[in-house]
């Protein structure tokens, strides 16, 4: 169903950048910036893309805009990197429809967060099992485990059970917080029990990326506005150089921590991307955060300090 | 912008039925049942309709389906009753677009619940003020105060402030719980302070309808599967017969309380409407509740008991 | 460890009244009213007591007051009924200490709600398993499943597992909402799997008591201010007269539903008990609800209507 | 009421360390470690102490233990630094009693977080106003604004109103997240409106300390296991050296961020204090986090990296 060139599987590693969705100051999609941002990410060396996630303001796009963004990015990427599409929705029909559309346009797989109001292990498992059955074996799935946003808690045993039952589940976006022990448990128990090893990419802005790589993560799936750092850190880990990796990471940590702020973090990220020339406007759709003069000056100072530390 | 015949204003009273959205067993919209359900509600004497609310499974409709449902119901109603359209959405642009569409199709007004993650009075006020500015003075607005579903708390002082600032805010759907004192405070403080008196219709399945009518509500905006009771109760209150009203209400209370259950309540309501011949299928879109044999037998027994009590 | 006369076990049934804790208008414990309320409950025919629960304002008592209340009630009951003591606390040490104190004073068992912040089945099971290990086999335990208050969801499979592992777990206070299907599942799966059948008493103010009795509940554990109705309804169910039981229940349903309101419900319940002569003051410790003139008049009217319906 | 030597006022600045409560491996209070930890904090140069806060496991202490900890620390400090006592509780009576006890033992003031379930500005204001009235003008109060833990949101306007009404409210523990703009607004609006300027100390583990100092904070109230850094950073800010301050801060940021993890952060903090010789055991009362071998190794590595960066 996908273009065949890229199909998400358990071997995925590196940096799948969570792509912002650029708007003009009038709030309309800025397709020029969609292209330039795609180029920016590719130039910075990302392995893949994750588009239309929460940080991509997907719930604020119309259906036509959703299609436009998918088409535009997939066309611009043009097979040079796998593209995962966020398809989370309160209706399973919509998840199904959007997943099929994404795959037909050349996506490598889809990312699904649980619907709200799932409370017990059985309910969470039931939700994902229904989705996996609906999408079928030909659509690779990344589970998004982000309880801070969804209020749904996906336990280690549910993750194991889903891995055992559905070969199409090939990746976990790990962003439970605190969640490092969970990551270790998944890796350890999977190995002990001879379970299929899936790809685990970490979110939460990358705040614990070095620790998570040491605990068995395969890379990052986040949208920090300096993707080149994420790329280089993952590469250094892959090359067996964790100390060098963490030294580099720590130079960026002050700004990364700054971007980690829920809500306003998206505005800070878009403004940073704008300053770096990746997009033309930092506009966030309403209701959404807007930076004031103090926020701007604070960001300027933190960037200047980071630039100084890098030289 | 509306058809002129019906335009929501502060005088609204009676029963604005929260309309279910009928699907076939295959999950597709059942337009035949949209018509028959509309007829059913009109036959039972409802004053108006509120369509595409949470119980109308609006978040599970595609944009095209949303338009179809609006058109179909408005056409079937054909000016015989005002129709309020639920337009709540995480994006203000979407609220705007959908409101304009609804009004152009002949709606009497729109109902708006707050976006998630609003925490303080200032934030809640700010949200609604932005929406009211965006929609303008020509679109009558009903505020939906339903914190159990939205996790947003709209204080009495915020409601007062919005009433003072925006003449287009003409109605409150009151379903805070417990919320009776809030209702009394709005009425009392409005009168004392010479404020414009808006229409207040109550939700929460109508569980406290008689008490709320005595505290100053103007009617009900809920979807109980026996709308004729709601209609008659509101009429008896209007006629100054609160004891008779409550006597009638209490006969239905066991079943009304049964339907009040969050989640499964929607499945119970649709099944009751199906049994009453108003729709052809009780299907709820996934993920959603499905009645099992015990649930069905329990409902059968409660309906039989109600029928017996009515004769 | 208990006085031997009453020891909670799986056979428990009937009405375990959730006892209010009476204070004077100055906020001090009113021991005279503790006695009179205990007498009132016994006169109304309750099977047992559950003291120091959430509705007993237990978190607002000092340690010395907690001991005083336990001693006073157990002395007044004087072996005429089993007394279950609520021992929920954020510290396991405290649960342990209070449980031992309760049992040494003659309690029949203890009731434990989960600590906050438990998210997955494994965490909920782990919490209860630690408590059961700590308390040992000689202290009968009632699990309190009340997610609306604790935000912890205890799944059917966790309940089954705990029943299998800990013989001292003999009762479930069922007040998940909506939770009727959960109750049915516990009963059905227990029977199919040859599991030990524990006692299930229902809470949530008794709002669904008849339906829950038909689904396999053994009685009620709630604090409705007319315990004689709960007693009679349970007796009629035990006698195989469900229709008569529900007819009686429905006469009280309007007031029971009124008391069901979270927060203010406690003030309404205490005021009703005061009016019935069971306690001298309806005081609720701060911060807590206080009835205003409208609330009082509304209550008066509902009681008068109930009285009229009963004659 | 306090010892006169130290009384919390609006001029407070610097580092008020959130003191851990040391237990032995058997879970009992370790008074020897209470002394050694107090000495440790003083040696590291803290300005003041905040004891019996959430990170002090206050809800897990018995009343007698609470008194013991207050007495022991106040005696050991012996007037060398102001001690603020956390008195948050679900009962106002308890807040009152504990506040009086603390002040009579020589505390400089008390810290109060709001009771749960306060939703609107009016409710939050009402809660704090009742507490301030109850405690009277002689007990200085620090408001703890920590919505991540309390789920209560205290708006800027509520804070202003409380400052205007109650001179005894002299400090804000600022740990809303993200909350930097809130801090700026309080400072800016206070100045513009000629309002009394209170002390603002920041929490959240200090994750944004440099940014918050630049926005008008007066210091930190947090429990990072390297208080000497917090002390030095605050001193450098006071000396007008923000760049040097942040350079120093950033060396510790990786470990500080590690300790920032909710839940397990307390276990990491206690273990670090144990390794530094400040306490004898890292025991956290149950239910609570326990470090496993991976957590320990990870901590060791992060400390070693920090030590290396400091030399």
């Amino acid at each position: 169903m996908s273009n065949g060139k890229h199909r998400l599987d358990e071997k995925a590693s590196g940096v799948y950048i969570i792509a912002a969705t650029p708007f003009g100051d009038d709030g309309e999609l800025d397709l020029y910036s969609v292209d330039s941002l795609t180029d920016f990410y590719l130039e910075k060396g990302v392995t893949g893309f994750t588009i239309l996630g929460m940080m991509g303001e997907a719930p604020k796009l119309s259906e036509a805009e959703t299609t436009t963004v998918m088409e535009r990015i997939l066309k611009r990427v043009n097979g040079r990197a796998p593209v995962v599409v966020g398809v989370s929705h309160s209706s399973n029909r919509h998840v199904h429809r959007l997943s099929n559309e994404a795959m037909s346009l050349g996506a490598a797989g889809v990312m699904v967060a649980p619907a709200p109001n799932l409370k017990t292990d059985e309910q969470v498992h039931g939700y994902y099992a229904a989705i996996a059955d609906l999408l079928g074996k030909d659509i690779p799935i990344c589970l998004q485990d982000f309880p801070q946003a969804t209020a749904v808690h996906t336990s280690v045993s549910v993750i194991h059970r889903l891995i055992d039952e559905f070969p199409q589940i090939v990746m976990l976006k790990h962003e439970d917080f605190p969640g490092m022990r969970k990551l270790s448990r998944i890796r350890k128990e999977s190995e002990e029990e001879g379970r299929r090893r899936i790809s685990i990419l970490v979110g939460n802005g990358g705040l614990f990326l070095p620790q998570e790589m040491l605990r068995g993560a395969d890379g990052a799936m986040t949208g920090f506005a300096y993707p080149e750092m994420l790329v280089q850190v993952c590469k250094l880990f892959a090359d067996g150089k964790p100390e060098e990796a963490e030294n580099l990471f720590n130079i960026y940590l002050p700004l990364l921590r700054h971007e980690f702020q829920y809500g306003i973090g998206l505005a800070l990220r878009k403004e940073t991307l704008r300053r770096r020339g990746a997009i033309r406007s930092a506009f966030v759709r309403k209701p959404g955060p807007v930076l004031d003069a103090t926020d701007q000056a604070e960001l300027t100072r933190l960037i200047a300090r980071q630039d100084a530390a890098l030289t």
Side-chain angles (χ1 to χ4, degrees), chain A residues 204-230:
Chain A
N204 269 321
L207 193 64
F208 298 95
L209 179 57
Q211 282 61 50
E212 292 167 321
M213 292 302 285
L214 289 170
R215 284 172 178 263
D218 298 307
M221 186 184 279
T222 186
F224 184 47
Y226 293 84
E228 61 269 36
M229 180 277 279
L230 303 173

Side-chain angles (χ1 to χ4, degrees), chain A residues 157-202:
Chain A
S157 63
V158 165
I159 293 169
H160 283 332
R161 193 172 159 201
L162 290 168
I163 293 172
D164 289 346
E165 293 171 350
F166 298 100
Q168 66 267 46
I169 295 177
V170 296
M171 182 184 276
L172 174 69
K173 181 177 187 195
H174 165 80
E175 48 187 338
D176 200 346
F177 176 67
M180 285 200 272
R181 190 175 292 183
K182 188 174 186 175
L183 200 165
S184 293
R185 276 191 58 195
I186 296 172
R187 286 304 190 213
K188 183 163 177 289
E189 294 176 18
S190 276
E191 194 175 336
E192 289 172 358
E193 300 163 14
R195 180 169 291 109
R196 182 167 56 99
R197 184 191 189 282
I198 65 168
S199 172
I200 302 182
L201 304 186
V202 302

Side-chain angles (χ1 to χ4, degrees), chain A residues 253-293:
Chain A
L253 179 54
L255 198 51
L256 185 148
R257 163 215 55 170
H258 197 64
E259 230 183 73
F260 174 71
Q261 298 176 84
Y262 300 121
I264 200 169
L266 174 60
L268 292 166
R269 179 175 292 172
K270 281 190 140 179
E271 171 61 12
T272 309
L273 290 170
R274 189 197 63 78
R275 293 188 187 190
R276 300 193 78 195
I279 56 180
R280 297 191 297 193
S281 162
F283 190 86
V284 174
R285 282 198 170 169
K286 309 295 170 202
V290 179
L291 304 183
D292 64 20

Side-chain angles (χ1 to χ4, degrees), chain A residues 87-97 115-116 127 131 134:
Chain A
V87 295
S88 306
H89 198 272
S90 58
S91 162
N92 291 4
R93 285 168 64 92
H94 188 96
V95 173
H96 192 196
R97 187 185 63 68
Y127 175 75
I131 290 293
L134 193 61

